[in-house]
Amino acid sequence: MSLKAFSDYVSLEKNYSQHTVLAYIRDIESLQEFLKEQYEIDDINVVQYGLIRQWIVQLVNNGISNRSINRKVSSLNAYYKFLQKTQVIDNNPLKKHKALKVGKKLNLPFSQQELKEVLDNSIVVNDFESARDKLIVELFYSTGIRRIELVNIKMSDINFSQKQLKVLGKRNKERYIPIIDSLIQSINVYLKYRNQLPTIVNSEALFLTIKGTKIYEMLVYRIINKYFSIASSKAKCSPHVLRHSFATHLLNEGADLNAVKELLGHTSLAATQVYTHNSIAELKKVYAKSHPRNKT
């Protein structure tokens, strides 16, 4: 059973993104290389847990974080489950494996003041790129969409009359997100500059490069990092932090957790609850300030 068969399975049957599929394959190939170099074993399908554990130990010794190691092992586990399903192997060597302990990952959101600084002062709209960059920031903060979702927005996904945006999320699940009037205004400003580009190669894509081609994920990351690394002292200034800010600020203002879950495109409420820690902190401040028994 080849990796190609597994790749086709997770791509076509499980509807995983190309990025996820490639990550799975890289993780599996990492174990293959270890077994070949250390034990001259070519067949990953027949190894016992003891050898996989030696690979995990090497990863730890190489300074790989427990979170990254757990992800790699998760990829392997998915592969071995596939081999069981297709009756290539009888037992999954990772069946009794316990994930390594990891600390809670806390991504602090941008403050409302930092968002205001970027949107009101840092980006002066006077050409195509500045209009595009400002719209990208506004869209992330107004909708909470993922970076890949933003990259893949089509012109036809925007419904101006209904004031909503169609987004293609994970596993090709569509969802509709309301868009506010200020965002619609920024879209219209950007479209005026977009229409003036001398060449448009990808006419369906909403966001383009200056050359008229569809925007790509790394460029989106650089745009966000460019503006927020100046306005914010946070070590990490990424599109995901903007998504985090969107969710946290909504919850701080009293938004329903289930509503935020739907906007973010989460399949479970547990995934959304990671954003509530800041809301709890905000509630504690209000409680301490407002409770009658706490007043002197």
Side-chain angles (χ1 to χ4, degrees), residues 21-63:
V21 174
L22 290 175
Y24 272 35
I25 299 303
R26 283 196 300 268
D27 294 337
I28 296 166
E29 289 176 342
S30 173
L31 176 61
Q32 284 182 320
E33 292 170 6
F34 170 80
L35 294 172
K36 179 67 175 178
E37 292 174 1
Q38 299 295 325
Y39 300 100
E40 296 185 353
I41 294 176
D42 293 314
D43 192 354
I44 189 177
N45 299 352
V46 297
V47 299
Q48 299 299 311
Y49 176 68
L51 291 179
I52 298 177
R53 190 173 185 280
Q54 290 302 313
W55 171 66
I56 294 173
V57 170
Q58 185 190 73
L59 293 175
V60 172
N61 291 337
N62 288 342

Side-chain angles (χ1 to χ4, degrees), residues 188-250:
N188 285 326
V189 170
Y190 163 71
L191 290 178
K192 288 179 182 179
Y193 284 105
R194 182 186 183 277
N195 292 337
Q196 294 171 11
L197 288 175
T199 303
I200 295 181
V201 179
N202 299 87
S203 58
E204 288 188 354
L206 173 64
F207 288 108
L208 304 176
T209 68
I210 192 68
K211 295 180 180 178
T213 58
K214 181 181 175 182
I215 204 170
Y216 49 95
E217 287 190 68
M218 184 51 66
L219 177 55
V220 174
Y221 177 87
R222 290 203 297 262
I223 288 169
I224 300 303
N225 189 66
K226 170 186 174 182
Y227 294 106
F228 282 92
S229 60
I230 298 173
S232 173
S233 60
K234 290 179 177 57
K236 187 174 184 180
C237 297
S238 68
H240 187 73
V241 178
L242 267 176
R243 176 172 162 87
H244 188 61
S245 305
F246 163 82
T248 302
H249 294 172
L250 278 181

Side-chain angles (χ1 to χ4, degrees), residues 287-296:
Y287 178 83
K289 182 179 179 181
S290 306
H291 197 282
R293 296 286 291 176
N294 202 41
K295 293 181 179 180
T296 57

